[in-house]
Amino acid sequence: MSIGAGEETFHAGLATGARSLRLCYADDAMTAGRAEVLGEAPGAAAGADLARIAADGCGVAEGTMIATERGEVRVERLRPGVRVVTREAGLQPVTLIETLDLGWRQLGLLPLLRPVRIAAGGSGPVSPVRDLVLAGGLRLFPAGHGDSGVAARALIGEPGVAEAEVTAVRYVRFALLRAGAVLADGLWVEGACRADPAATAVPPSPVAASVMSPES
């Protein structure tokens, strides 16, 4: 580990070939900065802001119940065409379903990919009907936080809200025809990372794909 001006740079092996990953953190919480995938030749092969990597790795955990026109459905059982309940646009059809598996290596290296657990029946500003696990970068819309919502990670420390103690997680995310917050286990949660159907075919950045590649 080398320490620079306001940054910490970590070198760690990836599951993809002989490449390594250099993480340059710009804050103590390790949620801002840049990641670079290094090849065998000197110099960075590719790089991306951690915010982009977090956006590519967002979603709710498998098993989360989503409100649809026919009642609650486990998120992994949603299919294109199913209409989900949104806060802003009523019933909106799902256009795409994606899953992302993250293991101990990714969750250990990148704290911003770690899930947040919100306990059911809490007394704080957010209180789902059952425990809700979701990516820390997804926004929630609890009372008192305005229409722009608040990232789940920012609520850690509130009653019933903590980083989930897991070594692996499967995130499920879905795109909607029109953007809107969805009811996930009774809470309004940002519905999708990509709401524009034309954008759903855009793959994650090369660095994000390397960082979040399946572990061997």
Side-chain angles (χ1 to χ4, degrees):
M1 178 181 74
S2 62
I3 300 178
E7 293 186 346
E8 294 182 351
T9 303
F10 296 85
H11 296 266
L14 283 176
T16 53
R19 294 179 298 177
S20 61
L21 176 69
R22 182 167 64 198
L23 303 175
C24 304
Y25 292 117
D27 64 346
D28 292 338
M30 296 186 289
T31 58
R34 185 172 177 80
E36 295 176 341
V37 173
L38 306 179
E40 295 180 356
D49 289 338
L50 295 183
R52 170 67 192 275
I53 294 173
D56 286 329
C58 69
V60 295
E62 185 178 42
T64 301
M65 302 297 289
I66 304 296
T68 77
E69 61 183 330
R70 297 184 178 179
E72 289 189 313
V73 175
R74 289 172 64 98
V75 65
E76 65 271 20
R77 294 180 180 173
L78 292 176
R79 295 293 181 268
V82 172
R83 296 198 299 174
V84 301
V85 178
T86 72
R87 190 182 69 149
E88 297 84 358
L91 293 173
Q92 287 296 311
V94 172
T95 60
L96 181 75
I97 302 287
E98 299 176 319
T99 60
L100 175 64
D101 291 300
L102 298 178
W104 63 270
R105 180 179 285 110
Q106 294 95 335
L107 299 180
L109 287 174
L110 290 175
L112 79 173
L113 294 178
R114 298 174 190 168
V116 171
R117 183 183 301 276
I118 303 175
S123 58
V126 288
S127 181
V129 296
R130 58 187 70 85
D131 285 3
L132 172 63
V133 178
L134 72 167
L138 274 186
R139 290 179 299 155
L140 301 169
F141 298 87
H145 285 270
D147 290 338
S148 61
V150 59
R153 187 182 302 110
L155 294 172
I156 291 177
E158 297 280 358
V161 184
E163 188 173 282
E165 297 181 359
V166 297
T167 57
V169 64
R170 170 171 287 179
Y171 288 134
V172 183
R173 57 187 181 180
F174 52 92
L176 302 173
L177 186 62
R178 181 177 172 186
V182 301
L183 271 177
D185 285 331
L187 286 182
W188 290 114
V189 175
E190 184 177 3
C193 296
R194 305 175 184 138
D196 181 359
T200 59
V202 178
S205 68
V207 173
S210 295
V211 171
M212 296 182 291
S213 61
E215 299 178 15
S216 57

